[in-house]
Amino acid sequence: MAARIPVGVSTASVWPLRAGAAFEMAADLGYDGVEVMIWADPVSQDVSALRRWSRRTGVPVLSIHSPSLLITQRVWSPDPEVRLRMSVDAARELGARTVVVHPPFRWQRRYGDAFGDLVDELEEESGIEIAVENMFKVRPPGGSRTSRVSAFRPSIDPTDVGFRHYTLDLSHTAAAGMDALALAERMGNGLTHVHLADGTGLPKDEHLVPGRGVEPCAELLEKLVISDFAGQIVLEINTRRSPSAAQRSRDLAESLLFARFHLGQ
């Protein structure tokens, strides 16, 4: 019998609340763990504080999302290599198996040139899976409503390069107009991490509760079960406009129920 696939929640799913709130809600709702998004929240940057939250709530850290967003380019260090190394160190200290990282930005030439070798080196040294995430194109400043460019090198699709481990983000496939199931096929056995969320197909990162958009969230989960997927599922939804704490909790509970149902749990 295949092992039960763990279902976690990203600390980004409770923003603008701090990371500790994600640990508390994960414990209350029955999630298997959390993914820590490293960003402006000082708790997310403090390994000792995260360890205390994990012990206090009994909720493990499944994964670390390295500070590779545009808004986190100064978190921990202005050097993206240092940020990735620190993310791997944090994962090792917290007992997480995975670090999620975005492909390099086009202007990060030195980092981009060394990225593949750096990922290989860190995986070999640490035993941590560094799962490179699929991205989407954005409208350039002053561009038309239909013009889109990639900010990433060489592309928004990490399978164009090839890595040992991948993160499949379904909100990103929706924003990119990509076929999520086809991308999962290309990732193959390298698919070890899923950011479960939905989107309507608009060219923006919506991170909707799964089932509220057009992405094949249910089909993907069901395929993962029959393919003996051995990775992790992390709900990464947007609740920042929730009118109340109760509504945020309901959205996170609905997301967990969706995942458990389609995983046969």
Side-chain angles (χ1 to χ4, degrees):
M1 184 176 180
R4 182 175 180 273
I5 298 171
V7 180
V9 62
S10 170
T11 59
S13 296
V14 305
W15 189 85
L17 302 181
R18 292 189 174 182
F23 281 91
E24 291 179 327
M25 295 187 78
D28 289 344
L29 296 172
Y31 278 89
D32 295 317
V34 300
E35 173 172 301
V36 177
M37 171 72 82
I38 310 295
W39 56 1
D41 171 12
V43 176
S44 74
Q45 302 173 31
D46 186 336
V47 171
S48 295
L50 294 169
R51 186 184 295 110
R52 288 194 296 272
W53 274 109
S54 179
R55 289 174 176 170
R56 183 183 309 169
T57 58
V59 174
V61 177
L62 301 179
S63 49
I64 297 291
H65 194 309
S66 75
S68 44
L69 302 171
L70 269 176
I71 62 172
T72 59
Q73 294 301 290
R74 296 286 171 177
V75 171
W76 277 346
S77 169
D79 186 333
E81 178 178 334
V82 172
R83 293 198 299 272
L84 182 54
R85 289 184 180 278
M86 291 181 70
S87 299
V88 171
D89 289 343
R92 191 157 39 185
E93 290 186 49
L94 292 166
R97 63 175 275 186
T98 305
V99 167
V100 177
V101 65
H102 294 176
F105 288 114
R106 289 167 61 184
W107 55 84
Q108 294 173 322
R109 294 184 180 179
R110 182 179 63 83
Y111 175 61
D113 289 343
F115 183 68
D117 290 338
L118 175 63
V119 168
D120 286 344
E121 172 201 327
L122 291 174
E123 288 193 321
E124 289 290 340
E125 289 180 351
S126 68
I128 301 295
E129 297 172 354
I130 301 178
V132 185
E133 187 171 9
N134 60 293
M135 302 305 294
F136 57 96
K137 294 182 179 181
V138 297
R139 185 166 73 179
S144 70
R145 296 183 66 180
T146 57
S147 62
R148 295 288 182 271
V149 298
S150 171
F152 303 95
R153 56 179 300 188
S155 77
I156 61 174
D157 182 350
T159 67
D160 287 345
V161 175
F163 296 95
R164 291 187 200 175
H165 301 105
Y166 299 103
T167 295
L168 174 59
D169 187 304
L170 280 87
S171 178
H172 292 179
T173 55
M178 297 175 71
D179 183 328
L181 297 179
L183 179 56
E185 287 289 330
R186 292 198 298 278
M187 290 178 170
N189 292 333
L191 174 56
T192 57
H193 203 72
V194 173
H195 280 167
L196 185 61
D198 217 330
T200 63
L202 292 175
K204 61 180 182 178
D205 199 10
E206 296 174 283
H207 284 284
L208 304 178
V209 170
R212 297 185 186 177
V214 300
E215 287 302 279
C217 298
E219 294 92 330
L220 176 69
L221 294 176
E222 290 161 7
K223 284 181 177 292
L224 292 178
V225 172
I226 63 176
S227 66
D228 293 329
F229 176 72
Q232 301 168 322
I233 309 293
V234 168
L235 273 299
E236 193 182 57
I237 65 169
N238 183 349
T239 67
R240 70 178 183 272
R241 292 192 177 91
S242 293
S244 66
Q247 183 59 54
R248 175 179 286 111
S249 182
R250 283 194 293 269
D251 286 345
L252 289 169
E254 179 183 332
S255 298
L256 178 59
L257 179 62
F258 182 99
R260 294 251 192 260
F261 179 80
H262 291 288
L263 290 171
Q265 298 176 2

